[in-house]
């Protein structure tokens, strides 16, 4: 059978994924870094200085993760949400998105608010900064743990989609095989890295991890935009 024509919804979802992948990397490149500080007061002062940029970067990343999930929902619908591997991939990635978003709220908003609170009128800046430092350490732990578990869930979701691609009904088999193998690599590599080689997330390590996911999302975007639906797949969606 001849392949069915490409759909506008496929092209739209692919464009959303591609744009979100590129913009996410741009925002991570602008992730503020606190640097070395010598005292609790200097710490809260540095946080206040970076607060506006911190909110923009993390707010933008949360919005882009939501857009990414929208594009991946379309991918899941195209692959067939009734299939266990596809449904499992979407649930795992959605869970990861929620967890990483929570980390982003703490990193971009809660920490910024703590720093600005110590500059409020009537607050003893020195005593407030000393107390805030303990809370900032707690927030840092929350950010690290939510990010690690969230990115692990995202990676697991990508691996599940890899299995789904390998079982995709494609008469030529090339697109399904290529996407399946690349998805398994993109999903299992960061998951194994976080399990067997634990590390602390910094803007640099976050950029490296997100770069792998971004490359995978760009390949999915190309698949959605350029790969025609097999006629048998189009017929099943029309029923």
């Amino acid at each position: 059978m001849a392949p069915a024509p490409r759909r506008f919804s496929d092209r739209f979802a692919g464009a959303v994924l591609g744009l979100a992948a590129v913009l996410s990397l741009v925002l991570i490149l602008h992730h503020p870094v606190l640097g070395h500080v010598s005292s609790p007061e200097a710490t809260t002062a540095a946080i206040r200085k970076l607060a506006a940029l911190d909110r923009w970067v993390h707010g933008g990343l949360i919005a882009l993760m939501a857009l990414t999930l929208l594009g991946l929902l379309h991918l899941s619908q195209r692959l067939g949400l009734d299939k266990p591997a596809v449904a499992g991939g979407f649930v795992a990635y959605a869970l990861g998105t929620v967890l990483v978003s929570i980390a982003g709220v703490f990193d971009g908003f809660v920490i910024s608010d703590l720093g600005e609170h110590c500059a409020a009128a009537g607050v003893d800046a020195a005593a407030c900064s000393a107390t805030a430092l303990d809370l900032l350490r707690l927030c840092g732990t929350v950010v690290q743990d939510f990010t690690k578990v969230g990115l692990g869930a995202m990676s697991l979701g990508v691996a599940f989609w890899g299995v789904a691609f390998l079982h995709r009904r494609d008469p030529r088999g090339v697109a399904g095989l290529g996407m399946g193998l690349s998805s398994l690599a993109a999903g299992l590599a960061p998951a194994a890295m976080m399990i067997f080689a634990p590390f602390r997330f910094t803007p640099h390590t976050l950029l490296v991890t997100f770069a792998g996911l971004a490359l995978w999302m760009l390949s999915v975007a190309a698949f959605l935009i350029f790969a025609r639906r097999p006629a048998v797949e189009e017929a099943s969606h029309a029923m």
Side-chain angles (χ1 to χ4, degrees):
M1 293 183 180
R6 292 186 289 269
R7 288 181 170 185
F8 170 77
S9 57
D10 291 338
R11 295 194 295 269
F12 178 78
V16 166
L17 281 174
L19 184 64
V22 173
L23 291 180
S24 293
L25 291 178
V26 171
L27 284 177
I28 292 174
L29 283 171
H30 289 83
H31 191 294
V33 179
L34 193 60
H36 177 72
V37 286
S38 57
S39 66
E41 289 183 88
T43 300
T44 54
I47 290 172
R48 288 195 297 274
K49 184 178 179 181
L50 297 171
L53 178 60
D54 227 355
R55 291 187 178 106
W56 276 106
V57 167
H58 289 91
L61 284 171
I62 291 169
L64 289 172
M65 283 191 289
L67 278 178
T68 298
L69 194 61
L70 176 64
L72 292 174
L73 173 60
H74 181 81
L75 171 69
S76 299
Q77 290 172 332
R78 177 162 173 177
L79 294 176
L81 269 170
D82 58 322
K83 299 172 183 175
V86 179
F90 183 76
V91 169
Y93 200 97
L95 173 62
T97 298
V98 172
L99 294 175
V100 176
S101 295
I102 292 173
V105 171
F106 271 89
D107 200 9
F109 296 90
V110 175
I111 288 177
S112 296
D113 289 344
L114 282 173
E116 291 182 340
H117 171 71
C118 291
V123 174
D124 183 340
C128 179
S129 296
T131 303
L133 197 59
D134 291 331
L135 294 174
L136 290 170
R137 291 193 184 102
L138 175 61
C139 288
T141 301
V142 170
V143 170
Q144 289 291 320
D145 290 345
F146 271 83
T147 301
K148 288 176 183 177
V149 176
L151 286 176
M154 287 180 174
S155 300
L156 182 62
V158 172
F160 270 121
W161 278 313
V163 174
F165 270 115
L166 290 175
H167 288 85
R168 180 173 175 266
R169 290 181 293 177
D170 185 349
R172 298 180 181 178
V174 178
L177 178 62
M179 288 301 303
L181 294 177
S182 64
S183 299
L184 284 174
L188 295 178
M193 183 173 63
M194 283 183 278
I195 293 172
F196 298 108
F199 58 91
R200 183 174 178 83
F201 272 108
T202 65
H204 174 72
T205 54
L206 190 64
L207 177 63
V208 172
T209 306
F210 259 93
L213 281 174
L215 286 174
W216 175 77
M217 283 190 282
L218 288 173
S219 68
V220 172
F223 170 80
L224 289 173
I225 293 172
F226 298 110
R228 293 181 179 272
R229 292 171 179 256
V232 63
E233 182 183 324
E234 184 72 19
S236 67
H237 279 272
M239 291 179 181

